[in-house]
């Protein structure tokens, strides 16, 4: 028959297995980072190639396609190493969707090479696939069970999302500057992309490690970013009545590319920190396991029987030791000396650690939950109001400002109303 000691050790083995899987997931995120960056560079090269009707960036594009294909092959191998019994439904569904998206890349590249697409169409196609890859990073963060690793994953997801929005801003700005003017819709999109970047980087700044944040602040205060800011101001004023030199398109693209490449170096620091932390957690958990075994071995050498049934100890790890001891009118002093300083302490420490982990994990995942709520609310506004993503975001933000509330609070109010209306439809209650 299994004893309390057996299950304590089994719990630690389960923790180590989960951390091993988490390390694999962290390595997967690194692979996702590499492929996303390669596809972002391929998207940028495709924009220049298509914008010049196939005259410019032909060799650059060919090289970038090779780099993206290499990164895709590496990521596919990482997908195959995932334990399909330990993942989540959403994570594996996201991976399946991305693998399906990979099958469309060959056709997309053929059409780009033949100049059968516009820059805008190519950008949309690449952005859709990149969004799917970022969704995998989101699910990895949302399913991680270690608070420190989760904090890093939250930081990395938001930084990667911000970098992707920077890539979309690069494409949007290049098209407007090359044309010599920006339509009102294009200007609105530029504003949206900048605001959305800042929101991502704000969350990243809450969870990122100090060394990485220092590198980010250095980039944000650099001359490069100051020059980009000046070009953004020009874009906001450029119109049919106030055209700008088309040569600014090349300058904008070059500066935006330099910024994104520097952001990739910061992203690499996050990825390295993530892999190192996950590896350290496994070493730490294995050391704890050996410590547990030593304590239990010493406990088993005593001939003094415990005065408290093992069931009480097991219940206390779930219900809270204080409550159980109070209900049984027992205290640590009532137990045998060996028990009070070995198994009891071990169970108590485990219960306290699990509670602490749970609290930290909830705090780390709150940012993910809020982002999910905002994205869902945007989707509802886009579907029911016929809005673009930029317009839906603007409506959410304006409503939050008008009501002096957080965007997530406004988003949750919209979701509550949508859920209520859905319930009324299901029971055939007329909606007034």
């Amino acid at each position: 028959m299994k004893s309390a000691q057996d299950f304590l050790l089994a719990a630690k083995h389960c923790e180590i297995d989960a951390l091993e899987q988490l390390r694999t997931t962290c390595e997967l995120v690194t692979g996702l980072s590499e492929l996303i960056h390669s596809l972002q560079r391929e998207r940028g090269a495709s924009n220049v190639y298509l914008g010049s009707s196939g005259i410019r960036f032909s060799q650059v594009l060919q090289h970038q396609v090779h780099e993206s294909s290499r990164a895709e092959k590496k990521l596919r191998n990482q997908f195959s190493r995932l334990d399909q019994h330990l993942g989540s439904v959403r994570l594996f569904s996201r991976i399946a969707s991305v693998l399906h998206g990979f099958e469309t890349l060959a056709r997309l590249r053929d059409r780009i090479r033949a100049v059968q697409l516009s820059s805008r169409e190519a950008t949309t196609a690449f952005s859709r696939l990149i969004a799917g890859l970022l969704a995998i990073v989101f699910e990895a963060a949302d399913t991680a069970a270690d608070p420190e690793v989760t904090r890093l994953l939250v930081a990395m997801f938001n930084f990667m999302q911000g970098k992707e929005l920077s890539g979309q801003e690069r494409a949007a700005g290049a098209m407007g500057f090359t044309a010599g003017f920006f339509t009102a819709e294009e200007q609105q999109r530029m504003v949206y992309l900048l605001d959305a970047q800042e929101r991502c980087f704000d969350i990243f700044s809450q969870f990122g490690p100090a060394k990485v944040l220092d590198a980010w602040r250095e980039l944000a205060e650099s001359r490069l970013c100051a020059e980009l800011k000046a070009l953004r101001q020009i874009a906001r004023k450029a119109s049919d009545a106030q055209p700008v030199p088309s040569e600014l398109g090349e300058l904008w693209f070059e500066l935006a590319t330099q910024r994104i490449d520097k952001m990739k170096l910061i992203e690499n620091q996050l990825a390295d920190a993530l892999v190192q932390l996950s590896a350290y957690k496994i070493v730490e958990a294995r050391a704890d396991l050996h410590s547990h075994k030593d304590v239990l071995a010493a406990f088993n050498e005593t001939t003094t029987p415990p005065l408290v049934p093992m069931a009480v100890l097991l219940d206390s790890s779930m219900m809270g030791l204080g409550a159980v001891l109070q209900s049984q009118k027992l205290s640590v002093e009532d137990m045998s000396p060996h028990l009070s300083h070995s198994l009891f302490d071990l169970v108590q420490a485990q219960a306290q650690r699990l509670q602490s982990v749970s609290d930290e994990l909830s705090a780390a995942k709150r940012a993910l939950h809020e982002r999910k709520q905002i994205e869902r609310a945007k989707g509802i506004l886009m579907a029911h109001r016929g809005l673009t993503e930029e317009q839906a975001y603007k409506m959410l933000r304006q409503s939050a400002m008008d009501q002096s509330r957080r965007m997530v609070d406004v988003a949750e109010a919209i979701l509550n109303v949508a859920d209520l209306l859905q319930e009324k439809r299901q029971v055939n209650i007329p909606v007034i």
Side-chain angles (χ1 to χ4, degrees):
M1 183 178 293
K2 296 289 186 180
S3 68
Q5 299 173 43
D6 293 323
F7 282 102
L8 274 174
L9 294 178
K12 185 55 66 175
H13 280 293
C14 286
E15 181 182 349
I16 293 172
D17 289 343
L19 286 170
E20 291 279 8
Q21 181 67 8
L22 184 56
R23 180 170 62 179
T24 302
T25 302
C26 291
E27 292 169 350
L28 173 66
V29 169
T30 301
L32 287 162
S33 169
E34 293 300 322
L35 179 55
I36 287 171
H37 188 68
S38 288
L39 289 173
Q40 287 168 338
R41 292 179 66 89
E42 184 179 346
R43 178 178 59 192
S46 297
N47 285 333
V48 176
Y49 178 80
L50 292 170
S52 66
S53 299
I55 297 174
R56 298 185 59 227
F57 268 39
S58 176
Q59 293 299 318
V60 173
L61 179 57
Q62 184 177 352
H63 169 74
Q64 199 51 54
V65 167
H66 173 74
E67 289 298 305
S68 295
S69 298
R70 182 186 58 80
E72 177 192 335
K73 182 179 179 179
K74 177 182 175 182
L75 184 62
R76 283 179 179 271
N77 289 334
Q78 290 178 313
F79 284 158
S80 67
R81 292 200 299 270
L82 287 174
D83 189 331
Q84 297 183 13
H85 299 289
L86 295 178
S88 72
V89 173
R90 292 197 307 271
L91 176 64
F92 290 152
S93 295
R94 298 292 191 187
I95 291 174
S97 178
V98 160
L99 288 172
H100 177 72
F102 286 164
E103 305 306 318
T104 67
L105 271 175
R107 173 61 176 159
L108 172 63
R109 287 164 176 157
D110 286 343
R111 296 188 67 190
I112 290 171
R113 195 174 298 110
V115 196
Q116 295 176 345
L117 292 174
S118 67
S119 296
R120 191 181 302 276
E121 289 171 329
T123 295
T124 299
F126 278 114
S127 298
R128 187 180 299 116
L129 180 56
I130 291 170
L133 292 165
L134 283 168
I136 297 176
V137 181
F138 180 92
E139 296 302 340
D142 201 28
T143 55
D146 181 89
E148 289 184 78
V149 175
T150 299
R151 286 179 66 88
L152 258 182
L153 281 167
V154 170
M156 187 159 184
F157 167 74
N158 281 279
F159 192 84
M160 291 173 71
Q161 180 66 57
K163 177 167 158 284
E164 164 56 11
L165 292 164
S166 300
Q168 292 182 28
E169 184 192 23
R170 175 180 61 183
M175 285 186 278
F177 279 119
T178 301
F181 68 94
F182 288 80
T183 65
E185 181 181 350
E186 288 170 339
Q187 288 172 332
Q188 184 182 42
R189 177 157 180 78
M190 291 283 285
V191 170
Y192 159 73
L193 289 170
L194 182 58
D195 286 348
Q197 284 177 64
E198 291 177 350
R199 184 157 53 92
C200 289
F201 294 137
D202 283 345
I203 299 174
F204 153 71
S205 297
Q206 295 175 34
F207 295 97
K211 184 178 179 181
V212 178
L213 293 179
D214 288 342
W216 170 243
R217 279 190 289 269
E218 183 179 347
L219 175 58
E221 295 168 2
S222 66
R223 181 178 177 181
L224 169 63
C225 288
E227 292 175 348
L228 273 172
K229 184 177 180 180
L231 287 175
R232 288 189 184 110
Q233 293 299 324
I234 294 174
R236 291 189 179 192
K237 298 176 181 177
S239 63
D240 285 327
Q242 285 185 292
V244 295
S246 60
E247 291 79 8
L248 287 180
E250 292 190 21
L251 177 60
W252 165 267
F253 189 87
E254 177 60 27
L255 291 175
T257 298
Q258 288 181 30
R259 176 175 177 250
I260 291 171
D261 286 346
K262 289 181 181 297
M263 289 169 67
K264 181 62 173 71
L265 298 178
I266 295 174
E267 190 174 293
N268 289 346
Q269 291 183 46
L270 280 169
D272 290 343
L274 190 60
V275 173
Q276 289 171 14
L277 178 61
S278 61
Y280 169 77
K281 287 288 182 178
I282 294 172
V283 172
E284 187 180 47
R286 285 175 175 161
D288 281 349
L289 175 61
H290 289 304
S291 176
H292 279 39
K293 287 180 176 179
D294 290 342
V295 170
L296 293 174
F299 169 71
N300 287 331
E301 289 177 1
T302 180
T303 58
T304 306
L307 300 181
V308 179
M310 288 295 180
V312 173
L313 291 173
L314 290 177
D315 285 343
S316 63
S317 70
M318 294 181 285
M319 297 169 54
L321 285 167
V324 172
L325 292 176
Q326 181 65 30
S327 67
Q328 299 290 330
K329 293 184 170 47
L330 295 169
S331 67
V332 175
E333 288 75 17
D334 294 322
M335 301 177 184
S336 67
H338 287 286
L339 182 60
S340 63
H341 295 292
S342 54
L343 186 57
F344 177 82
D345 291 341
L346 208 58
V347 176
Q348 184 180 44
Q350 181 81 335
Q352 291 173 344
R353 189 181 70 83
L354 289 175
Q355 184 60 53
S356 176
V357 165
S358 178
D359 293 343
E360 292 179 40
L361 198 56
S362 296
K365 290 194 175 183
R366 193 173 298 120
L368 295 174
H369 173 74
E370 290 181 356
R371 177 183 178 82
K372 192 182 297 185
Q373 298 296 79
I374 290 172
E375 293 301 315
R376 286 183 60 202
K378 276 168 47 180
I380 288 173
L381 291 175
M382 291 166 66
H384 293 277
R385 296 286 189 93
L387 303 178
T388 63
E389 184 176 9
E390 297 82 41
Q391 292 168 335
Y393 175 81
K394 184 178 180 181
M395 178 177 287
L396 275 174
R397 186 182 61 174
Q398 190 61 51
S399 296
M401 292 172 61
D402 292 344
Q403 301 174 42
S404 298
R405 301 169 69 188
R406 298 185 307 154
M407 274 185 65
V408 67
D409 296 330
V410 175
E412 287 177 347
I414 291 172
L415 294 174
N416 289 337
V417 171
D419 289 342
L420 178 61
L421 294 178
Q422 182 64 29
E423 289 176 6
K424 287 185 176 182
R425 292 192 189 97
Q426 289 175 352
V427 295
N428 297 319
I429 297 177
V431 178
I432 300 175

